[in-house]
Each structure stands twice: as C-alpha cells, then as structure tokens.
Amino acid sequence: MATRTPDTEARISALLERMTLEEKVSLMAGRDFWTLPAIERLGIPSLRVSDGPTGLRSVNSEAATVFPVGVALAATWNETLVAEVGAAIAREAIAHEVDVLLAPAVNIQRTPLGGRNFETYSEDPRLAAEIATAYVAGVQSEGVGTSLKHYAANNQEHERMTGSSDMSERTLREIYLAVYEPVIRRANPWTVMGAYNKVNGVFACENEFLLEQVLKGEWGYDGVVVSDWGATKTTAEAANHGMDLEMPGPARHFGAKLVEAVRNGDVSQAVVDDHARRLLRLIIRCGLLDGNPKSARGELCSARHRACARDAAGQSMVLLKNEGGLLPVSKNVRRVAVIGQPAYMPAIQGGGSSQVSPDRIVSPLEGLKAALGSDVELIFERGLDHEPAPPQIDWRLLSPDETFTQHGLTARYYAKPGCAGPVAHEEIDWHFSKLGFGGKVQTEDDLSFSVEWTGYFRPEQDGDYDFVISHSNEDVELSIGNEILVGQGTPSERELLFMILPLNRREARMRMQAGRTYPIRIRYSQPTERAIRAFNIFNISMRPPAPSRAAAIAAARAADMVLLFVGSGTTDETEGRDRRSMKLSAGQDDFVREVVAANPGTAVIVNTGAPVEMPWAGDVPAILQMWLPGGEGGSALEDLLSGKVSPSGKLPVTFPHHYEDNPTYPFYPGHKSAEYGEGIFVGYRYYDKAGRDVLFPFGHGLTYSRFEISDLQVSVSPSAQDVEVSLNLTNTGAVEAAETVQLYLEDRATREAMPPRQLKAFRKTSLKPGETARLTFVLVREDFAWFDMHAGAWVVSPGKYAVHAGVSSRDLRQAAEFELHS
C-alpha cells in the first residue's frame, strides 16, 4: 500500500506551484465517463477508472474472469482468500489499462430486498469491514487503486438518486459508518465514492459532516473523494464540503463553474489546492508519474485466476442443511436427476455497474458431469421457467457456421454506420449483454460505428420463442431465416437502465422447430450524433417455450436422488431496482414440494445473491446456498458435491422465515426519505433482541465434518486496554474441513439499549480429522465502545462483559465473563 512520504508530498507541492488555477480545477472533473484529463504541459498523464467488485468490467465489454459476488466473498469468512481475489482482479485491471477499480461496495445489507445486496458484503459491519480491508489491500498491492463505496447509508435502490437516509447519529456511527472506518485506517483505499442519496437531509456528495468532519477530519483520510456518476449537485457547496472529483466528465458543476466560484470568492484557493493535492497523490500512487511500473503485471483470464475464482466460489457456498448426510453424492448412487434451469443457465453475477463480460461460464450441469463421471447417469430437466424477464440469448443455440462445433456468432465491426465500408474488426462473440462496446473501431474524433453478427440458431424445443432487444439508439435489426423480426418499423418502448440510462426496447416472437437450423443476423448501428462514449448499450434476450413440468417430476421419481436448482433468475438482482419479494418466482416453492413428494432424497441448491423464503425447508433433507458464484461456479460445485472439498461457507446475513420478520419491514421502502427506525438493531442484532426464530442464523454453515470448541479462557491486561481470548478448536469428524470460530461480545455494563451480542472477531481454520488448534484473539478498547449521543463521543462502559465462542450467532458453544474498569 502506498503511503504518504515527505518526498511524495514535496513532489506534489512542486507540481502545485507550477499549475494554474484552471489546471488544478481540470483535475477535479473527468474528461469523459472513465478517464481524468491529462496535463501535457506538466507531464501529467490521464488516469483511467472502471468498475470492479466482481471482476474487471471492461468499458468495451471485453472478457474478464468473473469472480463470486460480494456477498459470496463475505460468505468465505476468509480474508486471505479475499485478498487473493482482489489482487487477481487488479492484475486483470492492469491488462485493461485501468488504474482505479470502483470497488468494493460495502454498504450494510439493511433490508433483504435491497437490489444491490448481492454486491455488498454483510448485515454486520465487523465482518464487512474485515472482508473489505482484505479486498482493498489485495487490489492495491498490485498498484491499482480502489474506491470504497457508496459512502454512506446507501442501502436501497428505491429513491436512491434523491432520497434521504434518516437516522440517529448513534445508528449512523455504530452500523453504517462502522464498516468504513477500519478500512480507511488499516487499508487506506486511494479513493472513496460518495453516494447518490442524502444522509439526514444533505446529499452525501456535499455532506460536510460525512466528508470533512468524519472522513477527512476524524479518520485522517488523505485520498480522493469521487462522486458516484452524476451524484454531484452543486459547485461551491460540493467543493467546500469535501468533494474532490466530479464524475463522469465533462464537468457539469466543477470546471468553468468552479473557476468562476474561486474568482468570486465562493471557494478559496486553499480548498482547490487541497483537492488538487489529493488528486496528484492518487496519480502518483498509481505510478503514472513514474512510467506506470504496474503495467508489466497485467494478467487476464489465466489458469491462476480461474483457480482463484473456483476456490472462492467453493469456499463461499453454504451448506445450510444436510440431514442423513445426503451430501456429498454417495458413490452408491447410479442415477441422479438434475432439475432446474439454474443448473443449465445459472445466475453467475448480478446486474448493473458490476456486470462483467465473462470469458467463460462453467454451468453446474457441466460441473456435475465432471464430478460424477461415467458411472452415474445424469438426467437433466428444466422443470419450469423461473426467469422473471427473458434471460440473455443462450449462446449454446448459436454457431458461426452450420457445423455447431463452436458457439456464438461471427461479429464484423465497421468504422461507419450502416455496416458500410471495409470490415475493421472481426471476432466470434457469444455474450450478448453489452455495457459499452465499439471501442475497437471508434476513434477520439468519430464515435460512430456499426456491427453485424451472423451465424445460425438451432432451437432445442418446438414452440414460440420471444426475443427482446434493449439498445441505446434506434438503429437495430434482428432477422431469423428470411423474416425480419425487429427493424426500423418495430414499435419500441423507452426504459431506464439503472435509473439513469435511457434505452429503447423492442420485442418479437417467432414459432420455431426443434433441431432445425435457422440463419440469424443481428445489426447495430451507432451514428455519430447519438454516440455516448463508453455507454453504447446492446442486449438481446430470449425466452424459449415453457419446459415440461411433468417430465421433471417423472425424472425425479425415476432417480436415486435429485439435485434441484432454484433461484431468482439471471435478471432479477440488479442495480437500479430493489427486489420485489423474498419469495422465489414462478411457483418454485410449489415445484420443490412436488419434486420432494416424487423423491424424498432431494437436495436443493439455491442460486441467489440474497436470502429467499424457503417454506419447504423442513421437507427437504439438504440445502446448499450457491449464491451468484462467478464463472467457475459449476467447477466449485463439482468439488463440493463430489466430496473432494468440504463446504466451509458461513452466512454473512440472516435468513428469516418470512420477509415480514425482518426489522426493516415497518419502515422500508419509505417515500422520499427512508426512516431507519430499527436503529442499531439490524440483522441478527434485532432477531436476538426480539427473541425471534429465524430460518438460518447469521454465521451459520455446516461442513462434512464435526468440530468442538473447548477450554475458552479470557485474560484482561493490567491496563484494561486489551482482552485476550484463547480456545481450542478440534476436528472430531472423519474428513478434513474448515470451520470458522466466531466471537460475540455481550455488553452487560452499558445501560443504553444494546444488542444482546455483537460479532467482534472470527477465524477460519482448516483441520485434519482429530487435529486440534489453539486459537488466540485480542479484543482492543475500541471493540467495547459505543457512541454516546449525549457526550458526542465513543465511550466504554466499566463493568461486566461476556464473550461467547461459537460457529454461528445462535450456535454458541462456550462463554466466559470478565470485567472492565474505567
């Protein structure tokens, strides 16, 4: 991690002395969507940013390794592994010439309906902070910056652009800021991203309390505060209250308006100098004034990165239930029914700014075939269509030629609209969800281009196929066979992507025959006058005919066991809108019951990025939470279901029985303001305080082995500044496995309302059968502090405490009491 040094600060000061006001201000706004302007006179190059929570999101839709989503990384409870993931994503960023990743997203999962819950880490600030610290350290170890986001209290998509998150200062400090402070102090992310929303009535990107008083003042942050894209609302207020960089560019509120504000005396030269100093510090930290030495470390879609993604996916999956040891699949099983669309087309990531163009997707069905081998007969049936909206067109039904020896279509790019002139670039393309493309043929002076995809489409079922094209201009065409399904005369609807980007949507239907090969052609044309750099958007989706429910039930009945996949679909969890419900879509709950009735030996694999209701949980012997596991998820599932690797994931969020059980139910979503009426009682803190039963508690997760915790001892230092906790962890089972010991603090001294227990430390440890490890944890003074609003300060109450050691918030094996003196 780059730190401030006297030489660096002197270097920055020397540059500032040579810069004009206009040059300083120019650094404070983007040149375009993804880059900062260069100052050629002083040898200051342009800096490039891109999204990156789940992997490098190329602004040109080029392929990268897709890692598990944020909540899945948190479910590993493994900081070392998360740091490795961060370093791998950084190397992929370098390969794409990116200097700063706009990640990680650390907002607390306040409501289970939050649309971006998949992208964030946890309901608990301690767990989220530890995972985020590891991610930031991993990324920045490779010379790539991070952007800790979205600061702050950005916990729902409803009214996210203008709404206010309203709460007490104690709630803000103990829950919503508590995830940021440790990351700032320990990992020093080179940028922090201000959120769209207001906090207690003031927009986050001009919130003096958040930016100046807390972040830069109390925490001593020396990096850059960057606005979320379009979140800057004012000129003088934003500049005076801590906003360093307006994005995207070109400037709307800074730039010429800021220069005028300085000359009018509304913003001081000293304020601008501080902002420019921070931006120069960022440029130096990224190595851009020293020849960019990190450029040699670029690595993209390598075997090493795929192995890392596979390991992370495997360690993230949570075995929620396993009665009778149904999993792993027994070697005596000869016929397995694999049922459910997610086995064939899984949701590997959520939608929005974190969406990565994958280099490949290993489906669970592929993984299972590899895991179970030729001795086991696999019968696959989709069962039902659970997608709330048509998913991306299935690349396996497409081929550039009639042999179908490879998948996808031939893409030919032209430097002009209308697919005219010579072909400027040609490739085989299989991923038809583009968030920015065309850069291979566009130039700085001419953003126009066009592309034509051609090849063949071979449906697997008879019936009606529905096609949907969403695109950022009017000029698209889809033809199959001799029929133009979508063209200039096709009616279109307008829709907003992520609440900010206007799109056109066109639909078509065609009846097709299974096994027949149809020529297919897709065209997209981008005229210069409608070009938007980096956000040419194109997505083609397809809903095939409904599968046979009866065939799935028959397959279940005929099998020795069933692996049943359920999920939220590939389009339902996304930036820009909250989830509509915690219930599974399309009657999946009833379908689970039907399958279990046909074959009681059913294991349910849940492909979601957030909790869902499971009214059938008591009827099935085994449940595995798969999350949104990235491109290597199928291979990771292969490791777990074969028994090669024991599950070790732990829930980073509570799974309630019903949505109505959660503490935000009376308050969410709010209207223009979100009232955080539950206060500090978020997640397990509330369920424990209310004594409410839950489906699966925070921290829960089984293994294929058994573990015991013993000999818990507590030692308070003579100065009462530190408390040492030690214990034994023993693998008493028959297989090697990893268990995560969790320490929860019970505060019996404080008279204010307190959660019964709060997570304060954890450690994941892998042990062989019969092996014992002695684990030691140190709790520091800050672990006992709470925010006293009357004193306006953090305080530690003298008196009695207890520490509980266990393997979930509700499976606490040992406890010890101790006393702290003032």
Side-chain angles (χ1 to χ4, degrees):
M1 180 183 73
T3 57
R4 292 174 62 176
T5 66
D7 288 345
T8 297
E9 296 307 301
R11 190 178 184 186
I12 294 171
S13 296
L15 281 170
L16 285 173
E17 288 179 2
R18 299 174 59 195
M19 294 174 71
T20 66
L21 171 63
E22 287 78 7
E23 286 172 333
K24 294 172 185 176
V25 168
S26 74
L27 289 179
M28 295 175 59
R31 179 180 65 179
D32 53 34
F33 252 84
W34 306 113
T35 65
L36 272 60
I39 303 178
E40 295 180 2
R41 182 180 73 86
L42 299 175
I44 299 173
S46 175
L47 179 147
R48 180 176 295 277
V49 305
S50 187
D51 293 304
T54 306
L56 189 280
R57 193 190 74 76
S58 162
V59 300
N60 202 38
S61 295
E62 295 170 306
T65 306
V66 186
F67 292 84
V69 296
V71 70
L73 290 180
T76 69
W77 293 61
N78 187 336
E79 306 102 300
T80 301
L81 176 60
V82 172
E84 292 172 2
V85 169
I89 296 176
R91 292 189 292 270
E92 303 224 345
I94 295 168
H96 282 278
E97 300 182 337
V98 167
D99 303 300
V100 176
L101 281 168
L102 304 176
V106 299
N107 301 104
I108 294 297
Q109 294 193 29
R110 173 182 173 246
T111 168
L113 299 187
R116 299 182 83 169
N117 281 358
F118 70 89
E119 192 176 341
T120 64
Y121 291 141
S122 178
E123 69 188 28
D124 180 79
R126 175 56 59 93
L127 175 60
E130 296 296 332
I131 298 300
T133 298
Y135 183 97
V136 169
V139 172
Q140 295 186 171
S141 71
E142 296 288 348
V144 175
T146 57
S147 195
L148 194 66
K149 63 183 190 181
H150 307 82
Y151 185 76
N154 180 236
N155 308 103
Q156 62 188 51
E157 297 302 277
H158 176 80
E159 295 290 347
R160 73 164 178 158
M161 311 298 291
T162 58
S164 180
S165 300
D166 296 341
M167 69 197 79
S168 71
E169 186 175 356
R170 182 185 177 197
T171 298
L172 181 62
R173 295 259 191 183
E174 291 190 20
I175 302 296
Y176 300 98
L177 297 185
V179 64
Y180 290 92
E181 182 176 5
V183 190
I184 297 294
R185 294 189 183 279
R186 292 161 49 196
N188 193 26
W190 297 347
T191 78
V192 169
M193 184 185 292
Y196 287 119
N197 55 281
K198 301 173 185 174
V199 177
N200 290 330
V202 181
F203 278 112
C205 286
E206 55 188 59
N207 194 307
E208 185 175 20
F209 172 78
L210 289 178
L211 302 183
E212 289 289 349
Q213 179 179 326
V214 176
L215 178 62
K216 294 181 177 180
E218 295 177 20
W219 300 347
Y221 180 60
D222 68 359
V224 169
V225 177
V226 54
S227 73
D228 205 339
W229 267 227
T232 306
K233 308 292 184 182
T234 58
T235 301
E237 291 88 343
N240 287 330
H241 295 162
M243 179 54 56
D244 300 308
L245 173 61
E246 178 191 5
M247 288 297 286
R252 293 166 177 80
H253 297 282
F254 285 1
K257 291 182 180 180
L258 183 53
V259 171
E260 183 181 1
V262 174
R263 289 177 174 157
N264 290 340
D266 296 327
V267 177
S268 71
Q269 180 74 52
V271 165
V272 171
D273 284 351
D274 179 68
H275 294 312
R277 177 176 291 275
R278 291 169 181 271
L279 284 154
L280 290 171
R281 190 178 293 133
L282 172 63
I283 291 167
I284 291 173
R285 282 171 167 168
C286 292
L288 298 182
L289 292 188
D290 299 297
N292 197 13
K294 68 177 180 291
S295 61
R297 295 198 290 274
E299 183 178 332
L300 191 61
C301 302
S302 63
R304 174 167 68 149
H305 289 179
R306 287 174 176 171
C308 181
R310 179 174 183 164
D311 188 17
Q315 291 200 42
S316 76
M317 295 180 187
V318 183
L319 185 59
L320 297 173
K321 185 179 180 182
N322 197 26
E323 290 181 355
L326 183 64
L327 297 179
V329 177
S330 170
K331 298 186 183 301
N332 297 322
V333 169
R334 289 292 170 262
R335 178 181 291 176
V336 176
V338 180
I339 298 174
Q341 177 72 357
Y344 174 76
M345 186 179 284
I348 66 167
Q349 59 183 325
S353 59
S354 67
Q355 180 179 306
V356 178
S357 295
D359 69 313
R360 69 173 189 171
I361 299 174
V362 181
S363 72
L365 192 58
E366 292 175 86
L368 288 167
K369 288 177 181 177
L372 302 181
S374 58
D375 294 336
V376 178
E377 179 185 2
L378 286 182
I379 309 169
F380 172 65
E381 292 288 344
R382 285 172 57 202
L384 51 76
D385 183 350
H386 75 298
E387 294 279 3
Q392 183 189 159
I393 191 170
D394 185 355
W395 67 93
R396 288 158 293 199
L397 306 184
L398 302 171
S399 176
D401 56 52
E402 292 185 88
T403 65
F404 274 76
T405 54
Q406 58 181 325
H407 297 301
L409 299 175
T410 299
R412 296 183 179 91
Y413 283 82
Y414 302 82
K416 297 295 182 183
C419 297
V423 175
H425 176 77
E426 182 173 318
E427 65 184 12
I428 302 299
D429 196 356
W430 64 275
H431 189 70
F432 294 93
S433 181
K434 311 290 187 184
L435 282 177
F437 72 117
K440 295 182 180 70
V441 298
Q442 290 175 309
T443 67
E444 289 289 333
D445 299 325
D446 188 354
L447 300 182
S448 64
F449 76 99
S450 55
V451 58
E452 180 181 66
W453 293 275
T454 59
Y456 296 87
F457 181 87
R458 183 180 292 168
E460 294 181 338
Q461 297 171 261
D462 291 336
D464 290 333
Y465 285 74
D466 293 323
F467 297 89
V468 178
I469 298 181
S470 299
H471 49 101
S472 54
N473 64 63
E474 298 289 342
D475 304 314
V476 297
E477 181 182 295
L478 166 65
S479 65
I480 298 180
N482 297 318
E483 184 176 352
I484 296 178
L485 299 180
V486 172
Q488 290 297 317
T490 307
S492 67
E493 298 179 356
R494 297 286 278 178
E495 62 182 5
L496 276 180
L497 183 67
F498 319 143
M499 297 184 185
I500 54 176
L501 299 170
L503 295 182
N504 298 296
R505 174 188 173 94
R506 288 183 163 94
E507 301 181 5
R509 172 174 289 184
M510 183 174 182
R511 180 168 289 273
M512 308 177 81
Q513 297 175 4
R516 179 180 169 184
T517 299
Y518 296 80
I520 183 172
R521 185 182 71 186
I522 308 166
R523 284 184 167 184
Y524 176 100
S525 187
Q526 175 69 73
T528 301
E529 62 269 19
R530 291 200 293 272
I532 303 175
R533 176 169 297 280
F535 258 126
N536 304 302
I537 299 171
F538 178 82
N539 184 76
I540 180 165
S541 303
M542 182 198 75
R543 189 184 295 279
S548 172
R549 193 179 188 116
I553 300 303
R557 190 174 292 114
D560 296 330
M561 72 172 296
V562 177
L563 297 173
L564 174 58
F565 289 76
V566 299
S568 52
T570 57
T571 64
D572 203 43
E573 297 184 67
T574 180
E575 177 183 359
R577 67 170 184 268
D578 289 328
R579 298 165 65 204
R580 289 158 286 194
S581 171
M582 267 186 64
K583 298 182 184 297
L584 289 169
S585 61
Q588 291 180 85
D589 289 333
D590 290 337
F591 185 59
V592 172
R593 295 187 181 99
E594 290 182 53
V595 171
V596 173
N599 190 327
T602 295
V604 179
I605 294 93
V606 184
N607 180 206
T608 67
V612 293
E613 295 180 10
M614 303 180 191
W616 36 263
D619 302 325
V620 299
I623 305 171
L624 180 70
Q625 179 68 30
M626 177 180 165
W627 304 113
L628 310 180
E632 302 300 317
S635 297
L637 200 64
E638 165 194 339
D639 296 334
L640 268 59
L641 295 183
S642 67
K644 178 181 177 181
V645 175
S646 173
S648 63
K650 297 282 187 176
L651 290 182
V653 291
T654 304
F655 278 38
H657 284 286
H658 308 286
Y659 167 59
E660 294 80 4
D661 294 340
N662 89 86
T664 64
Y665 178 70
F667 310 106
Y668 170 85
H671 181 46
K672 293 297 182 183
S673 295
E675 180 189 354
Y676 285 45
E678 71 282 356
I680 63 171
F681 295 98
V682 178
Y684 70 89
R685 290 167 168 79
Y686 164 77
Y687 296 111
D688 289 350
K689 186 75 170 180
R692 188 179 290 273
D693 187 37
V694 298
L695 181 62
F696 297 109
F698 175 83
H700 171 71
L702 306 175
T703 75
Y704 291 152
S705 196
R706 298 183 305 277
F707 289 84
E708 288 185 357
I709 295 173
S710 60
D711 194 23
L712 175 66
Q713 296 185 11
V714 175
S715 174
V716 181
S717 67
S719 63
Q721 296 299 310
D722 298 331
V723 176
E724 184 178 281
V725 180
S726 60
L727 54 84
N728 287 337
L729 176 68
T730 303
N731 183 347
T732 61
V735 300
E736 182 175 357
E739 181 59 276
T740 301
V741 173
Q742 303 158 40
L743 291 189
Y744 293 84
L745 182 68
E746 178 186 354
D747 182 345
R748 299 176 181 174
T750 303
R751 295 183 179 180
E752 296 286 343
M754 299 293 289
R757 288 167 297 278
Q758 298 182 68
L759 180 72
K760 292 299 177 181
F762 60 88
R763 188 166 305 152
K764 188 171 191 173
T765 305
S766 181
L767 296 174
K768 296 178 181 178
E771 188 177 5
T772 296
R774 185 71 181 174
L775 306 182
T776 299
F777 306 84
V778 177
L779 303 182
V780 299
R781 192 76 174 174
E782 288 77 12
D783 291 320
F784 302 91
W786 59 281
F787 192 80
D788 185 341
M789 290 196 298
H790 299 288
W794 291 94
V795 298
V796 175
S797 304
K800 292 183 178 180
Y801 294 80
V803 64
H804 300 262
V807 294
S808 85
S809 63
R810 295 269 174 106
D811 188 357
L812 302 173
R813 309 285 180 84
Q814 291 215 316
E817 296 182 355
F818 59 94
E819 191 165 348
L820 287 182
H821 302 286
S822 56

